[in-house]
Amino acid sequence: MSTLDAQLATLLDRAPEEAVREPEAREAIGRAVAELVEALRHHHTGTADHSNRLASQCRRVGEGLALTPDVLFEVELVAILHDIGKLAVPAEILD
């Protein structure tokens, strides 16, 4: 198990609201998400770009609603990962 895998396993054992408040947890989650998005980009660029645009839009809306940094982080995380399951769909189908 890699260090990143171990960090994520530890985070997932905790309540999500507790995990995202810790800077090291946010960093580990950020690295894992970046790796997943990079894998999605290699698989299907359009889907990765869509996820990034959605996360950006969600952040802007959340800031406009004056959401707390913890909630903004969660909203952005959900937005960026909402299509991650498409990694299992053949790219030809996604086109």
Side-chain angles (χ1 to χ4, degrees):
M1 180 183 285
S2 74
T3 302
L4 182 58
D5 290 338
Q7 289 173 331
L8 284 174
T10 300
L11 293 175
L12 293 174
D13 286 340
R14 298 187 212 156
E17 58 276 0
E18 176 189 339
V20 298
R21 288 189 182 106
E22 299 177 25
E24 59 275 0
R26 285 186 189 221
E27 290 175 24
I29 291 168
R31 286 191 306 273
V33 169
E35 288 183 28
L36 286 169
V37 170
E38 188 59 26
L40 186 58
R41 180 167 308 290
H42 285 297
H43 182 65
H44 193 259
T45 302
T47 301
D49 290 345
H50 160 72
S51 293
N52 282 319
R53 284 190 307 273
L54 180 62
S56 203
Q57 290 170 349
C58 286
R59 174 168 270 292
R60 284 195 301 275
V61 169
E63 288 170 344
L65 293 171
L67 298 179
T68 66
D70 289 338
V71 174
L72 272 175
F73 178 79
E74 291 175 11
V75 167
E76 206 170 3
L77 184 64
V78 169
I80 199 99
L81 293 176
H82 82 280
D83 272 344
I84 206 66
K86 289 185 178 178
L87 278 169
V89 177
E92 305 80 49
I93 293 173
L94 297 174
D95 288 332

